[in-house]
Amino acid sequence: MQFPESWLREFCNPPLSSEALAETLTMGGFEVEERRPAAPPFSKVVVGAIVEAAQHPNADRLRVCQVDAGQGALLNIVCGAPNARVGIKVPLALVGAELPPGEDGKPFQIKLGKLRGVESQGMLCSARELQLSDDHGGLLELAADAPIGADVRDVLKLDDWLLTLKLTPNLAHGLSVYGVARELAALTGAPLKTPGIPKVAAAVTGKLPVKVEAPELCGRFSGRVLRGVDTQVATPAWMVDRLARCGQRSVTALVDISNYVMFEYGQPSHIFDLDKIHGGLTVRWGRPGEALKLLNGNTVTVDAKVGVIADDREVESLAGIMGGDATAVSDDTRNIYVEAAFWWPESIQGRSRRFNFSTDAGHRFERGVDPSRTVEIIERITQLVIDICGGEAGAIDDQTLSLPAQKPVTLRVARAARVIGMPLTQAQCADALRRLGFPLVEGEGTLTVTPPPHRFDLLIEEDLIEEIARLVGYNHLPTTPPLAPITARMRPEASRSRFAVARRLAALGYQETINFSFVEADWERQLAGNADPVKLLNPIASQMSVMRSSLVGSLLQVLKFNLDRKAARVRVFEIGRVFMRDATVATTDHTVKGIHQPMRVAGLAFGDAQKSRWQGKGERVDFFDLKGDVEALLAPLVLSFEATEHPALHPGRAARVRLDGRDIGVIGELHPRWRQQWDFAQAPLLFELDLDAVMARPVPLAQPVPRQQPVERDLALVVAEAVTHDALMNAIHEASDPALLREATLFDIYRPLVSRDGAAPSGGGLAVGEKSMAVRLSFNGDNATLTDEQVEAAVRTLIDRLGARLGARLRV
């Protein structure tokens, strides 16, 4: 909200400088966002009266004027303005005057000179040359009663400041000059001047019939008929100037009066052309299909959720927002109807945004307007209309249906002191609230306040505590250091942070991505097998309608984005939260009932395993490359991988990742179906792991280097073709004494050739369906070097147990 400081000081004029006044408002909760002068600096510009105006002897478009500047002798001024004529008073820049800076940033100095051979002893100025407005169509004409020779800055009150307030939505009572003055008086103790609004006696008979059908829309409706007004009169210069300094351009006298009173007291109003109203007015909710052409030229269609004012034929106004074009006042208007009402904030909120425009009236009504002053506002508008436009007024029609209940709010003084953080007495609190004009009742340690009708924001005890804090002064609050012990949160050594996980993946060549948690419903069904995802009530886009339960879809979208931009090799990862339904989850400070929200880390690899090198074409990334990255990410933990099936992964090239006997994620190649659907030239490799498991990191335990020489034995074991490497290694470690066997490594696999006719394999002592797996065993002791007898006994025991468990035998 913008307004001139001089207008504010007419209601409340504390002994403060302009800068101190702005600081006082800001510290009182009414933030002054900008403070700037009403006019740029200029000097030696006075009021001049044109006494004579003759044609320039050497120029068709110039005139030679004799100007009275109050100096005794007339000044000879050459002027080219089309409105330079005898009898008007205009700004005159004397010789030596400095006008506002031009485009070069330097002040423009007026010197004695000649124009086409005629001496000019100054310059007559337009509003644009003084940078008062953009109007440069002619000289700035001053009021006829402006004293000749007086400084133009004093005559036009240009040594004023414009204040722009940045108000929060709860400060609706500050959306007027009088409202700000009321707060300034409370903050400074300066007296508040409340001008009396005299009643205008009814001089004409008759009222316009008005029926309010929706009291939940309109709680109070006041109106008055005025007849015989002259709408073609010019708005007074003082009103035009004040509106301009409030950022409002002048339209017509009636519109300007309505806007002026709104800025003055914060109550919007509307003026109808009485002769254009068919029958009476009805305040009601709209009906489906009803249309209205507004004053801004837009035509809108209303429904049952939009309040309207209608006559007997059609809708004439959007309630509390904007009037209609059909009943707008014009130059032909002679009879008017002035309306001021209280519209319930809930009935106005959101309606302007629905029609993609906003108005000053809607801005105020949706925050709350004082319902007790509608009749006073009508009287104020009536007086201004009669003074400026003439006419006679009828009686006021005032209908009160339902007004906001003024529920008392109780303040506990002890709690106010505790919340604010400084000692306060009951007398201090009562004084602060009385300065605001609040009626209150004092109790034992309590103050009960009945909110005045202009305060819609006083609902709970904390609202009163805020009022006391800002009246006492935020700058008076003591700066007390915190007394609680400050203890650094140490991360357990057996855990690493998510940032450490991200840095480790970056070191492996992956780039981090951040994606929305909202994804397409098809992704959840196809890539996660989730038929019942968590749906959004109000999605920001149709393709982002559910919460993701997997990070795979987001990474595939990132891959597609990069491939479309000719990226040949992509390595990306994401650390993010997923959302899954789980009836066992209860609502806490960190959880929502029925929704499990674990953190995951997922990665994707596409293209060559290594960056391009001079040796030649690189090999494409495969399952084992990604498996190595996952093992490096969780090192030194030892993982196991078991074949599995996953909706997003290739049925024969997917594995679940296991750690300490539990599943922590999956790894594999994208399913051919989704590869074709996403139009990938080759299948990307993906992994998705539980972040908590990845963040776990065992504390290293130092062990002495063995002092004894290890003993190695190589065994060629014949097993069935179905026996896997993991099955063999697990069986070896389970069948051996861990105090002796330190390491087992597979170093060879032999499969005999089988003829095309299915005959027995040639040589090697292997039957059809068998293979030979060569394993190197490393034995060592803690206290002494192992003997051959100890090693041989351990090997025989191992072979016997492998034979019993896997059907293995030594190859001969």
Side-chain angles (χ1 to χ4, degrees):
M1 176 183 167
Q2 177 182 303
F3 57 88
E5 181 183 325
S6 59
W7 197 2
L8 175 65
R9 288 186 181 271
E10 289 186 6
F11 291 108
C12 181
N13 189 14
L16 299 174
S17 65
S18 177
E19 186 175 357
L21 184 147
E23 177 66 15
T24 300
L25 287 175
T26 297
M27 295 307 296
F30 288 69
E31 180 185 356
V32 179
E33 186 177 29
E34 183 183 16
R35 174 178 162 270
R36 58 185 177 88
F42 58 81
S43 62
K44 297 188 71 174
V45 180
V46 300
V47 177
I50 300 179
V51 177
E52 182 182 337
Q55 184 64 44
H56 193 290
N58 301 320
D60 295 337
R61 297 187 178 182
L62 297 179
R63 299 177 70 81
V64 180
C65 301
Q66 298 297 314
V67 182
D68 183 4
Q71 299 180 354
L74 299 180
L75 299 180
N76 195 67
I77 308 293
V78 179
C79 178
N83 64 334
R85 64 187 186 276
V86 175
I88 65 172
K89 294 180 179 180
V90 295
L92 167 62
L94 302 173
V95 173
E98 284 192 355
L99 298 188
E103 295 181 357
D104 59 356
K106 298 179 180 179
F108 182 72
Q109 294 187 344
I110 303 300
K111 300 178 181 179
L112 184 66
K114 290 185 177 182
L115 290 176
R116 294 291 183 93
V118 178
E119 186 178 66
S120 182
Q121 298 172 315
M123 185 178 79
L124 302 181
C125 303
S126 67
R128 184 176 184 180
E129 288 162 340
L130 297 179
Q131 295 187 13
L132 301 180
S133 72
D134 292 331
D135 182 15
H136 61 285
L139 301 176
L140 173 61
E141 298 188 25
L142 303 176
D145 58 352
I148 296 175
D151 193 326
V152 167
R153 299 193 71 90
D154 296 334
V155 173
L156 298 181
K157 298 180 180 178
L158 299 180
D159 292 324
D160 197 1
W161 290 89
L162 304 183
L163 304 180
T164 301
L165 303 189
K166 185 179 181 182
L167 301 178
T168 52
N170 64 312
L171 299 179
H173 55 284
L175 288 171
S176 67
V177 178
Y178 179 78
V180 176
R182 181 169 49 207
E183 295 298 321
L184 183 62
L187 292 169
T188 62
L192 175 66
K193 302 172 186 176
T194 304
I197 301 178
K199 295 183 179 181
V200 178
V204 297
T205 59
K207 294 182 180 180
L208 179 69
V210 177
K211 181 180 179 182
V212 180
E213 295 182 350
E216 74 279 5
L217 166 65
C218 178
R220 184 176 186 180
F221 193 94
S222 305
R224 163 179 269 173
V225 172
L226 283 89
R227 297 185 181 275
V229 298
D230 182 4
T231 58
Q232 298 186 30
V233 298
T235 305
W238 61 268
M239 182 177 289
V240 172
D241 179 66
R242 279 196 170 170
L243 289 174
R245 295 185 186 186
C246 290
Q248 179 69 48
R249 67 178 180 87
S250 175
V251 183
T252 65
L254 291 177
V255 174
D256 291 346
I257 291 171
S258 177
N259 288 333
Y260 181 86
V261 175
M262 178 183 68
F263 284 115
E264 187 176 35
Y265 290 111
Q267 169 73 55
S269 59
H270 185 63
I271 300 178
F272 295 86
D273 186 325
L274 181 63
D275 297 326
K276 296 178 181 178
I277 298 176
H278 305 93
L281 294 179
T282 301
V283 179
R284 57 175 173 80
W285 294 105
R287 295 164 184 163
E290 287 185 320
L292 170 65
K293 184 178 181 182
L294 299 170
L295 290 174
N296 60 6
N298 295 344
T299 299
V300 298
T301 301
V302 302
D303 57 23
K305 294 184 179 180
V306 179
V308 299
I309 302 176
D311 61 13
D312 295 346
R313 183 184 299 179
E314 59 188 352
V315 174
E316 300 295 355
S317 175
L318 277 184
I321 300 175
M322 183 179 288
D325 182 69
T327 54
V329 295
S330 64
D331 290 345
D332 299 327
T333 299
R334 291 295 174 266
N335 305 311
I336 61 174
Y337 181 76
V338 182
E339 163 265 315
F342 167 69
W343 307 98
W344 286 95
E346 297 80 5
S347 67
I348 306 299
Q349 291 167 357
R351 273 60 173 188
S352 295
R353 290 186 294 275
R354 173 179 174 179
F355 298 117
N356 295 322
F357 67 87
S358 61
T359 63
D360 288 330
H363 182 76
R364 286 163 171 79
F365 279 126
E366 67 184 5
R367 286 160 172 77
V369 173
D370 186 353
S372 67
R373 304 199 66 184
T374 57
V375 172
E376 293 182 35
I377 297 302
I378 293 290
E379 296 284 9
R380 174 64 170 156
I381 294 175
T382 301
Q383 186 61 59
L384 289 173
V385 170
I386 293 176
D387 291 345
I388 297 172
C389 304
E392 296 178 323
I396 293 181
D397 177 23
D398 181 35
Q399 301 182 44
T400 301
L401 297 97
S402 63
L403 299 181
Q406 298 176 352
K407 298 180 179 179
V409 181
T410 299
L411 168 74
R412 293 166 289 176
V413 177
R415 185 167 189 274
R418 185 170 63 253
V419 172
I420 296 175
M422 66 180 294
L424 290 171
T425 65
Q426 183 165 332
Q428 286 178 294
C429 296
D431 176 66
L433 297 176
R434 286 194 178 99
R435 282 158 56 190
L436 288 166
F438 296 168
L440 58 89
V441 176
E442 296 193 42
E444 186 65 31
T446 63
L447 298 171
T448 301
V449 172
T450 301
H454 63 274
R455 294 300 298 267
F456 287 77
D457 58 321
L458 302 180
L459 302 174
I460 57 178
E461 183 181 19
E462 284 73 11
D463 296 328
L464 296 180
I465 294 176
E466 180 184 0
E467 296 299 304
I468 292 173
R470 68 186 188 88
L471 264 293
V472 170
Y474 295 120
N475 52 335
H476 294 153
L477 297 181
T479 54
T480 306
L483 301 178
I486 301 176
T487 305
R489 291 186 60 186
M490 301 296 294
R491 181 176 293 278
E493 191 176 359
S495 175
R496 55 180 170 176
S497 69
R498 55 175 295 186
F499 303 103
V501 175
R503 287 193 294 269
R504 180 57 181 150
L505 282 167
L508 292 171
Y510 292 78
Q511 292 181 314
E512 186 172 11
T513 66
I514 300 175
N515 300 288
F516 279 111
S517 296
F518 320 133
V519 298
E520 295 186 33
D522 288 344
W523 291 5
E524 283 297 295
R525 184 177 62 258
Q526 297 171 356
L527 301 175
N530 186 4
D532 186 23
V534 179
K535 297 180 180 180
L536 298 175
L537 295 177
N538 186 25
I540 60 176
S542 59
Q543 70 274 17
M544 305 172 76
S545 59
V546 301
M547 304 294 289
R548 63 184 179 183
S549 63
S550 171
L551 305 180
V552 171
S554 300
L555 293 182
L556 292 178
Q557 185 181 41
V558 172
L559 173 61
K560 181 66 174 176
F561 181 87
N562 282 269
L563 295 181
D564 290 344
R565 285 150 183 81
K566 308 301 180 183
R569 183 175 182 272
V570 178
R571 296 285 189 284
V572 292
F573 76 94
E574 180 177 6
I575 298 175
R577 196 173 298 279
V578 297
F579 306 83
M580 297 172 288
R581 296 189 183 278
D582 186 346
T584 63
V585 177
T587 299
T588 66
D589 292 341
H590 306 288
T591 60
V592 178
K593 182 179 181 180
I595 307 295
H596 183 43
Q597 306 176 49
M599 292 290 291
R600 297 273 181 85
V601 54
L604 178 147
F606 179 90
D608 293 342
Q610 301 291 334
K611 293 183 178 180
S612 299
R613 298 185 178 182
W614 62 271
Q615 292 96 330
K617 186 176 181 180
E619 296 181 356
R620 289 184 175 179
V621 65
D622 59 17
F623 177 88
F624 298 101
D625 293 317
L626 198 68
K627 176 174 175 287
D629 289 341
V630 172
E631 291 176 329
L633 175 63
L634 278 87
L637 299 176
V638 179
L639 305 175
S640 62
F641 300 83
E642 297 180 3
T644 189
E645 291 186 359
H646 188 277
L649 302 179
H650 193 296
R653 301 174 185 175
R656 63 172 179 262
V657 184
R658 294 178 62 81
L659 176 64
D660 297 332
R662 63 185 182 93
D663 295 343
I664 65 168
V666 293
I667 181 175
E669 182 181 298
L670 185 65
H671 197 291
R673 180 189 305 163
W674 312 136
R675 169 190 168 184
Q676 182 179 7
Q677 179 174 311
W678 288 75
D679 195 23
F680 294 142
Q682 66 184 75
L685 281 300
L686 305 113
F687 69 84
E688 184 172 18
L689 307 173
D690 179 36
L691 182 62
D692 289 339
V694 177
M695 291 169 60
R697 179 178 58 184
V699 179
L701 298 176
Q703 296 181 349
V705 178
R707 301 175 59 186
Q708 288 75 31
Q709 186 75 14
V711 179
E712 294 184 348
R713 292 288 188 271
D714 292 346
L715 301 179
L717 301 172
V718 178
V719 295
E721 183 66 38
V723 176
T724 63
H725 167 264
D726 280 349
L728 179 61
M729 291 297 107
N730 291 337
I732 289 175
H733 286 289
E734 291 175 2
S736 303
D737 184 358
L740 298 179
L741 181 64
R742 300 304 173 89
E743 187 178 2
T745 306
L746 178 71
F747 66 88
D748 183 53
I749 296 179
Y750 171 74
R751 292 183 177 88
L753 296 177
V754 180
S755 61
R756 293 183 178 180
D757 57 2
S762 57
L766 274 69
V768 176
E770 292 183 332
K771 61 183 177 182
S772 172
M773 303 180 73
V775 181
R776 178 162 295 151
L777 306 177
S778 178
F779 297 91
N780 207 337
D782 293 329
N783 301 320
T785 302
L786 297 178
T787 63
D788 287 343
E789 290 77 9
Q790 291 175 304
V791 174
E792 292 301 329
V795 170
R796 285 194 300 272
T797 301
L798 174 61
I799 294 174
D800 292 341
R801 292 179 178 178
L802 291 178
R805 181 168 180 175
L806 299 178
R809 69 178 189 278
L810 282 176
R811 178 183 171 191
V812 295

